[in-house]
Amino acid sequence: MEKEEKKVEITDKEPIKKKQPIKLILIFILFIIVLFCDIRFWSHNIITIKEYPIILEKLPSNFNGLKIVQFSDIHYGVTTKEKQLEKVIQEINRTNPDIVVFTGDLLDNAIHLSDKDIDFLKNNLVKIDSKFKKYAIMGDHDYSNEELFQNIMQNAGFQILNNQNELVFYEGNTPIQIIGISSIQKEDINLETIFQNKETNIASTILIAHEPATIDLLKNNQVDLMLCGHSFGGFIKLPFLGGILQKNNINGYIDGFYEINQTKLYVSSGIGTETYPFRFLNPPSINLYRIYNYN
């Protein structure tokens, strides 16, 4: 009696089922690697320009269309180095600004700059062009070496407004006032002294400060426009949540535009990084403000 042969069906369905989870795990690992590289390395090389049209009712007609470019928080040597800074300077000059303001933290507490670094900063920041003036204030990290900060910025043609004010005239007798307030974490600020000015014909006041929380100290001092940095835009931005890593002296003013007691406040998300050496959905940026009156 012949034995009945068993037929075994060979199918590749089972191996596919076994391979599928492995594929998913590999895809997930690849995604994490790409995401990490974007956050830690690639995002720092993208420079964006955020453009804001601003209406200041009291702006003198001769200043109508004034272009102010703001850059902030370089923290040179952390993630911002030669190539990135050269790109920043090119983008600033491409806007043909009337006034350029730097709102603090050229230096970083944790980085010791070499003579080569210092020469590079002097020789390149001087290439920033402006029609009227270039102003700078000190950020909290710049106090780690005040003399070096002042040396670099003055050699680069920036006027340092260390809790001072200056009048800017253009084709007329009515000036605008530029006030610079350095880091409130490092200095006690006497607002009455800073705002004192013998000129009574001031039309508009523009304040440049390092920390956004400075606006909460202004009280009755009328400022039409305030520009500041320090926040890095929260470093990591998530949809519907915005910047999620907040620093001290932000007071909730993380990035973009706010209006506080009739003062228009703009917070720059800056160029570099510091404690957290990464960015996500928050590339380094330069702010361009086009300022108009109603006329």
Side-chain angles (χ1 to χ4, degrees):
M1 188 175 179
E2 292 184 2
K3 289 185 179 178
E4 193 177 321
E5 289 186 6
K6 287 186 180 178
K7 290 184 179 178
V8 179
E9 251 185 65
I10 298 174
T11 175
D12 60 355
K13 287 183 181 179
E14 192 62 27
I16 287 176
K17 285 181 183 177
K18 287 181 180 177
K19 288 177 183 177
Q20 197 70 14
I22 296 172
K23 272 188 177 180
L24 290 174
I25 290 168
L26 290 173
I27 290 170
F28 179 73
I29 291 171
L30 181 62
F31 172 77
I32 294 299
I33 291 170
V34 170
L35 183 64
F36 174 79
C37 289
D38 179 65
I39 292 172
R40 182 63 182 85
F41 303 107
W42 300 332
S43 291
H44 307 302
N45 296 313
I46 303 167
I47 307 295
T48 63
I49 296 179
K50 296 178 181 177
E51 188 168 345
Y52 300 96
I54 300 173
I55 301 294
L56 298 182
E57 296 179 34
K58 296 185 290 183
L59 186 75
S61 57
N62 46 303
F63 282 100
N64 197 35
L66 180 73
K67 286 193 293 184
I68 298 179
V69 167
Q70 176 197 11
F71 69 117
S72 192
D73 298 279
I74 290 174
H75 290 264
Y76 190 78
V78 181
T79 52
T80 303
K81 298 181 182 175
E82 291 186 9
K83 286 186 179 179
Q84 292 90 335
L85 191 57
E86 285 172 347
K87 197 178 289 187
V88 168
I89 293 166
Q90 288 170 6
E91 291 299 316
I92 290 174
N93 287 340
R94 195 166 64 83
T95 67
N96 296 314
D98 297 313
I99 293 174
V100 174
V101 298
F102 175 67
T103 47
D105 281 351
L106 171 69
L107 310 178
D108 188 275
N109 290 338
I111 301 295
H112 174 74
L113 298 184
S114 66
D115 290 341
K116 182 187 172 186
D117 292 329
I118 294 167
D119 287 341
F120 173 81
L121 289 170
K122 287 180 182 178
N123 295 333
N124 283 270
L125 289 173
V126 74
K127 295 176 184 176
I128 295 176
D129 296 323
S130 67
K131 185 175 182 180
F132 300 142
K133 271 273 184 93
K134 300 189 292 189
Y135 296 105
I137 58 170
M138 293 177 63
D140 53 304
H141 282 251
D142 296 321
Y143 284 82
S144 63
N145 196 332
E146 294 182 46
E147 187 178 345
L148 178 60
F149 172 83
Q150 291 171 2
N151 183 264
I152 291 172
M153 297 309 284
Q154 287 172 350
N155 272 276
F158 281 79
Q159 179 177 342
I160 299 170
L161 291 178
N162 187 22
N163 305 322
Q164 297 167 301
N165 65 63
E166 176 163 297
L167 300 179
V168 179
F169 290 86
Y170 176 65
E171 293 183 351
N173 297 320
T174 306
I176 60 173
Q177 179 176 223
I178 307 288
I179 295 176
I181 294 181
S182 299
S183 173
I184 58 174
Q185 298 179 76
K186 300 295 182 178
E187 290 195 41
D188 292 326
I189 307 299
N190 187 330
L191 289 175
E192 289 185 13
T193 302
I194 296 169
F195 277 79
Q196 277 179 2
N197 202 307
K198 294 179 181 179
E199 178 67 50
T200 57
N201 195 31
I202 299 168
S204 297
T205 296
I206 298 172
L207 170 64
I208 60 174
H210 184 59
E211 294 95 348
T214 306
I215 196 168
D216 295 330
L217 304 177
L218 295 181
K219 297 180 181 178
N220 298 322
N221 295 293
Q222 182 57 49
V223 171
D224 301 296
L225 174 64
M226 177 175 164
L227 311 177
C228 62
H230 183 63
S231 74
F232 295 97
F235 294 96
I236 291 178
K237 285 188 176 178
L238 298 178
F240 310 110
L241 294 176
I244 61 172
L245 298 174
Q246 294 195 32
K247 297 184 64 183
N248 294 332
N249 291 291
I250 298 300
N251 288 13
Y253 311 121
I254 300 174
D255 184 30
F257 172 68
Y258 305 86
E259 186 151 6
I260 313 295
N261 297 328
Q262 298 183 321
T263 295
K264 298 179 190 299
L265 168 64
Y266 289 85
V267 183
S268 166
S269 57
I271 301 296
T273 60
E274 49 152 336
T275 308
Y276 313 105
F278 42 74
R279 288 175 174 264
F280 181 62
L281 299 179
N282 179 27
S285 63
I286 297 160
N287 284 7
L288 167 62
Y289 308 99
R290 297 180 184 268
I291 306 175
Y292 306 94
N293 56 24
Y294 281 124
N295 298 320

